[in-house]
Amino acid sequence: MWPDLIQKAKDGGLDVVQTYVFWNGHEPSPGEYYFEGRYDLVHFIKLVKQAGLYVNLRIGPYVCAEWNFGGFPVWLKYVPGISFRTDNEPFKKFTTKIVDMMKSEGLFEWQGGPIILSQIENEFGPLEWDQGEPAKAYASWAANMAVALNTGVPWIMCKEDDAPDPIINTCNGFYCDWFSPNKPHKPTMWTEAWTAWYTGFGIPVPHRPVEDLAYGVAKFIQKGGSFVNYYMYHGGTNFGRTAGGPFIATSYDYDAPIDEYGLLRQPKWGHLKELHKAIKLCEPALVAGDPVVTSLGNAQKSSVFRSNTGACAAFLENKDKVSYARVSFNGMHYDLPPWSISILPDCKTTVFNTARVGSQISQMKMEWAGGFAWQSYNEEINSFGEDPFTTVGLLEQINVTRDNTDYLWYTTYVDVAQDEQFLSNGENPKLTVMSAGHALHVFINGELTGTVYGSVDNPKLTYSGNVKLWAGSNTISCLSIAVGLPNVGEHFETWNAGILGPVTLDGLNEGRRDLTWQKWTYQVGLKGESLSLHSLSGSSTVEWGEPVQKQPLTWYKAFFNAPDGNEPLALDMSSMGKGQIWINGQGIGRYWPGYRASGNCGTCDYRGEYDETKCQTNCGDSSQRWYHVPRSWLSPTGNLLVIFEEWGGDPTGISMVKRSIGSICADVFEWQPSMKNWRTKDYEKAKVHLQCDNGQKITEIKFASFGTPQGSCGSYTEGGCHAHKSYDIFWKNCIGQERCGVSVVPEVFGGDPCPGTMKRAVVEATCG
């Protein structure tokens, strides 16, 4: 996907691609390096160069990124005397390794390569406030260490107000117009303009309106900002077990302009492309000096840039969250929507307004592309593999598994005397298990008794329930499950997972029995993992049976052929509970559609400050239903799909789907600014543009209205004002065409249906 993604970024008006370097991906074991496949950093950077773009290389070595352990390899935790994010040899060694690799490949700008910036550390500034002088000493050490590597390009540190010279401190956030670097000679840079927020299991899915994102970027540029990077422009997928958190979803879509599947998210991509064009039209004036700012009203102002050669560019802002404003500027009147900025590259002509989205809207659909014929294999619950061990007391999970698996069995035995009263009165004893997280299945004598799990905000959990025991020896088996290691927080490397206790049994003749310090037997991972059931060779070593439904701890496998076409693919896992997916031996990731999103999902208005809880969806539904399947992982025939289901789902409901555009829409105001004809006499004529992809043609006009229509793409309705010939011009101009345009002027629609009212032309069409 890389060349296609890079080209779409370039087509969207980007100049620079910013990428992290994931230490735990590149050095999975001490001194053993991996730079192949999806971790081929040099190949990726060379592809960016081939496209004519630059690179900001964010080496870290801590990256956060909602990535497992923040990018740190787990083995680092067990280096004697190590303290994360302090001046230490492993940090320096890995950073040096990456810099030397880039130099040897000639990839820095002075060598003819595309790398124009490098980043050391990541958002360390907030920790300095808490940790004081030792943290400041580390930040200074990291900066000096980086500079000493002589990359020949500037180093940056984000969220690091006291970054020492020559390091440039930069801003991350939803807005950065408030930010100034710590020295006046340093450029004003925004390294993470958050396009929305991450998705977590059990929480709603965030979305950020493009009107607000464009407004944030324009505010930053009008203040004198010189560099904006979108986080994310393409977020992609946390394949395998790379998601952090804990509880970060497998999808890292981030409501980005290019979606998880590599398709354009419209109108976000298109509106930002127009913003970038407008800013670049202003470039001769922007680079000449600082703006002159003038008040135009209570919540309105102009920021004007001029050069000595006569170039002039103006940004007119209305930060009122409710009302339109008419302002006077340079002897002319300008109408500004609320919470918006208009851009005038010649200080006269509005070519772009952040709140006026003229780009096509694409409504995506997931189309059924095939089901599966399943076989199943039951994971054995009380069966120990080759390397179980027994010790007194409870052990922390990551110390035992070293994160080689999500799973750790904790097993102990409870003897029940014949004279226990509960055996005759039916009042079963109560088992309580306290865990640091992240999920837990409790089995009594091989039967599932209960399942509990934490959340993004609180990974800790407690199981408490009455359990059915018999006279004699009883087996208590607890399967503790990690859902990604933490990636952010103070000393997060010290955070725990697994059952740490206490574990108690109440309701016996003796009252409470504390099981915490009994002997516990530990088994790392699942039997199916040790047999490599996810691989073709491993799956052939056991006897698979007819598929069983609603059975916890069950492996399922199916073979399938790659669906025809080139649309991106996904698995619809809505009928399943929780588990993991592999295709041809490669990890698609964790799935958890059984965890319903809890939160507030109301209407979404672009006006006013955005935060990650403002425009959410999926409340009451799965946080993630579809799981991306890269076509590059598939063979034409005979692909192996393996699923491990923890809860007990229904595999017959799983299907392969294709992601494509269902409807295309446009929503354009009269007099909407445009760059296509801004220097001609046609400038003021706004236009609706529709275009199908992949050679398809417009086959149907599902809705059209010139007036005051209501709703959004897929659910438009006529408003109180509607031109009755609204459909006619779209049928005439668009049916049978790959692309079409219609001017937004009353005469095109048979006259003005409501003189004196601002009108819009809205259309929904399908392609085929």
Side-chain angles (χ1 to χ4, degrees), residues 383-427:
S383 171
F384 296 119
E386 297 177 1
D387 54 354
F389 64 94
T390 301
T391 188
V392 173
L394 296 164
L395 301 178
E396 195 277 332
Q397 181 167 340
I398 307 307
N399 286 340
V400 178
T401 66
R402 300 295 171 104
D403 197 40
N404 288 312
T405 172
D406 282 355
Y407 304 101
L408 179 63
W409 284 103
Y410 292 73
T411 301
T412 194
Y413 304 94
V414 173
D415 289 327
V416 172
Q418 297 280 357
D419 62 351
E420 284 287 350
Q421 290 183 10
F422 77 84
L423 292 172
S424 55
N425 66 21
E427 295 180 8

Side-chain angles (χ1 to χ4, degrees), residues 400-470:
V400 178
T401 66
R402 300 295 171 104
D403 197 40
N404 288 312
T405 172
D406 282 355
Y407 304 101
L408 179 63
W409 284 103
Y410 292 73
T411 301
T412 194
Y413 304 94
V414 173
D415 289 327
V416 172
Q418 297 280 357
D419 62 351
E420 284 287 350
Q421 290 183 10
F422 77 84
L423 292 172
S424 55
N425 66 21
E427 295 180 8
N428 290 331
K430 182 179 181 181
L431 176 67
T432 300
V433 181
M434 299 188 72
S435 168
H438 309 131
L440 184 68
H441 302 300
V442 178
F443 296 84
I444 304 296
N445 296 322
E447 293 295 321
L448 180 63
T449 299
T451 294
V452 286
Y453 43 92
S455 65
V456 169
D457 295 329
N458 183 16
K460 295 181 179 180
L461 56 94
T462 299
Y463 169 79
S464 185
N466 294 99
V467 293
K468 195 170 183 180
L469 303 178
W470 52 50

Side-chain angles (χ1 to χ4, degrees), residues 22 24-25 39 63-71 238 242-245 485-487:
F22 296 103
N24 53 9
Y39 291 96
V63 298
C64 184
E66 290 71 60
W67 188 267
N68 197 50
F69 223 34
N238 294 317
T242 57
L485 300 190
N487 55 266

